[in-house]
Amino acid sequence: MKQKKLPSLLGGSMIIAGTAIGAGMLANPTAMSGIWFLGSVILFLIIWGITTLSALMLLEANLHFEKGANFDTITTQLLGKGWNIFNGISVAFTLYILTYAYITSGGSITKSLLNRFVPELPINHTFSALLFCFVLALFVSISTKAVDRMSTILISGMVIAFFLSTTGLLSSAKSEILLNTIAHTETSYLPYLLSAIPTCLVSFGYHICVPTLVNYYDKKSKKVIYSILIGSLLALIIYISWQMAVQGNLPREEFAPIIAKGGDVATLLSALNRYIPVLSIGVVLDFFAYMAIASSFLGVTLGLFDYISDLFKWGNHLGGRIKTALVTFLPPLLLSLFYPYGFVTAIAYAGLAVSFWMIIIPALLACASRKKFPNSNYKVFGEKWMIYVVIIFGLLNIFCYIASQLNWIPTFKGE
């Protein structure tokens, strides 16, 4: 019998990268301005390592279940209903709040781009948000393969736009700005490390796509592992390059007005435009931001779509997918239409919830699956001590978020 041909590795890698590289990336230069460039690189490497481990632990547990099993099924059977309810609330809250954030930001950039290229066309936020959501929601509702294809196009376009913009930015970057040797204010960095962790963690939040890829690749673990490694490494490289491009041009003290406006993306791009020697780079940056948000929207909502399908057991037929699509997209779309300026706040709240379902739960699932299935074919290296490391980091992130909100730890204000 002819063996079924699996989808390409490129598609899975692009889904992982596309889900990770999104609004969190646009927030990183501001959120990590306190620790500046060298501190950012170190933190990126640490969090990339932790999140890769937790994703592989989720994969390890997921492989013991039937195709299509998602967080709801896996958590219930390995940890029990109590853990699953708590986890389900965390997953749903994070994915809905991120979907709302992406619709809000994507709608705003859609409006900006349409006004720039078709100024005679009257466009308001409602129309632009509906357009952004409806077009991309169609791909998610059709199939994972449709998201695979669209994500590949968006990531390819994003990488091209990224390098077109960062080539100019990197060529104009100055070492004295990147290393902050021209500072007129304080030059301490370490005190702001803890407050930078939550936003950075959200930037590697692709874990909801792991069960989807297990199903997509017919439970072939190597394909999923390579997708996770390639996709997350691509995200890491782009993050570090983007950090260098921004923090090599925009002096540290210039982040004060951006921070005062809650890290608003438009304010960051506007401030950066004042330091860009070529005006056209600003247009390319807008396209880059748009494709970053659109690709992340696809990955997050694909994961949410499959999670809801698993939760309600609506099936993969047309009627089931329509019901799943309505529950996936309608609540965040309505929230975006009524509250169109909550982007930064939404990202901040997501940073707390991801600690639980993206870091702690996968580690607990791996621990439970090893007890229930001792003869597993695939186990993440490191035995139990690695599980403890991941759990401790998740608890640390929860502490960092709460402590920064209560002013227990210093937060950089750019002053």
Side-chain angles (χ1 to χ4, degrees):
M1 187 172 72
K2 188 178 179 181
Q3 190 174 10
K4 179 184 175 183
K5 185 180 179 182
L6 294 176
S8 72
L9 185 60
L10 176 65
S13 302
M14 292 303 102
I15 288 175
I16 293 292
T19 306
I21 303 169
M25 174 181 177
L26 300 172
N28 278 335
T30 304
M32 303 170 79
S33 56
I35 58 176
W36 210 234
F37 178 68
L38 292 180
S40 299
V41 172
I42 293 170
L43 187 58
F44 277 137
L45 290 170
I46 292 171
I47 290 185
W48 172 79
I50 292 290
T51 51
T52 300
L53 282 171
S54 65
L56 294 176
M57 288 175 182
L58 175 58
L59 169 63
E60 178 184 331
N62 201 162
L63 290 171
H64 297 293
F65 295 87
E66 67 279 1
K67 284 178 60 180
N70 210 288
F71 266 100
D72 182 69
T73 298
I74 302 166
T75 309
T76 299
Q77 294 194 28
L78 287 178
L79 300 179
K81 288 186 178 180
W83 278 101
N84 184 52
I85 291 171
F86 194 26
N87 183 65
I89 292 171
S90 299
V91 171
F93 174 80
T94 303
L95 299 183
Y96 272 124
I97 211 74
L98 285 176
T99 302
Y100 155 70
Y102 295 149
I103 293 173
T104 300
S105 189
S108 296
I109 300 178
T110 299
K111 179 183 175 183
S112 174
L113 288 172
L114 287 174
N115 287 338
R116 175 177 287 170
F117 293 105
V118 195
E120 66 276 7
L121 190 65
I123 299 293
N124 58 24
H125 174 78
T126 299
F127 177 82
S128 59
L130 284 169
L131 180 64
F132 175 85
C133 181
F134 181 75
V135 171
L136 294 178
L138 277 178
F139 289 93
V140 176
S141 302
I142 291 169
S143 68
T144 301
K145 179 165 278 190
V147 175
D148 168 342
R149 297 289 186 266
M150 190 60 181
S151 292
T152 302
I153 293 169
L154 285 171
I155 292 291
S156 301
M158 187 178 71
V159 168
I160 293 170
F162 175 76
F163 283 107
L164 283 175
S165 58
T166 54
T167 297
L169 287 171
L170 290 172
S171 65
S172 64
K174 299 176 177 63
S175 60
E176 61 268 26
I177 297 178
L178 193 65
L179 300 176
N180 200 33
T181 57
I182 60 167
H184 300 296
T185 56
E186 64 160 328
T187 56
S188 56
Y189 308 102
L190 191 59
Y192 305 112
L193 178 64
L194 293 179
S195 62
I197 290 176
T199 301
C200 186
L201 183 62
V202 176
S203 303
F204 289 94
Y206 54 81
H207 296 56
I208 193 62
C209 295
V210 173
T212 298
L213 291 182
V214 171
N215 182 43
Y216 191 44
Y217 287 123
D218 200 25
K219 298 182 67 176
K220 299 296 186 291
S221 60
K222 283 189 177 180
K223 283 271 191 178
V224 184
I225 292 168
Y226 288 141
S227 293
I228 290 170
L229 293 175
I230 294 170
S232 62
L233 273 172
L234 176 60
L236 176 66
I237 292 167
I238 288 180
Y239 287 150
I240 293 175
S241 301
W242 174 243
Q243 205 80 351
M244 183 184 294
V246 175
Q247 294 184 347
N249 285 278
L250 196 60
R252 194 173 183 232
E253 59 267 21
E254 290 291 329
F255 280 89
I258 303 168
I259 294 169
K261 289 191 176 182
D264 181 60
V265 174
T267 306
L268 170 65
L269 294 178
S270 176
L272 196 56
N273 282 339
R274 295 198 300 270
Y275 289 85
I276 297 173
V278 183
L279 184 61
S280 60
I281 293 177
V283 178
V284 179
L285 274 177
D286 285 342
F287 274 106
F288 164 70
Y290 186 78
M291 287 182 281
I293 289 170
S295 63
S296 202
F297 174 89
L298 284 173
V300 166
T301 54
L302 175 64
L304 179 59
F305 186 97
D306 286 346
Y307 175 77
I308 290 171
S309 178
D310 179 50
L311 179 65
F312 293 108
K313 307 294 187 286
W314 278 333
N316 202 35
H317 52 83
L318 180 61
R321 294 190 73 85
I322 289 174
K323 287 190 288 187
T324 304
L326 289 174
V327 175
T328 300
F329 297 105
L330 201 53
L333 175 60
L334 292 175
L335 190 62
S336 176
L337 296 181
F338 287 107
Y339 301 99
Y341 301 108
F343 170 76
V344 175
T345 304
I347 294 294
Y349 282 127
L352 178 63
V354 295
S355 302
F356 187 73
W357 69 267
M358 199 178 89
I359 303 296
I360 297 173
I361 282 293
L364 294 176
L365 288 173
C367 187
S369 70
R370 290 176 189 181
K371 290 180 181 178
K372 190 170 183 178
F373 308 102
N375 299 319
S376 174
N377 291 325
Y378 173 70
K379 286 184 181 179
V380 180
F381 72 94
E383 300 301 330
K384 274 195 173 181
W385 69 269
M386 190 62 76
I387 290 176
Y388 295 144
V389 167
V390 172
I391 292 173
I392 290 170
F393 187 86
L395 293 174
L396 173 64
N397 186 68
I398 293 172
F399 166 78
C400 290
Y401 179 84
I402 295 173
S404 63
Q405 295 299 307
L406 297 176
N407 295 318
W408 293 349
I409 54 177
T411 303
F412 184 67
K413 303 295 183 184
E415 298 169 352

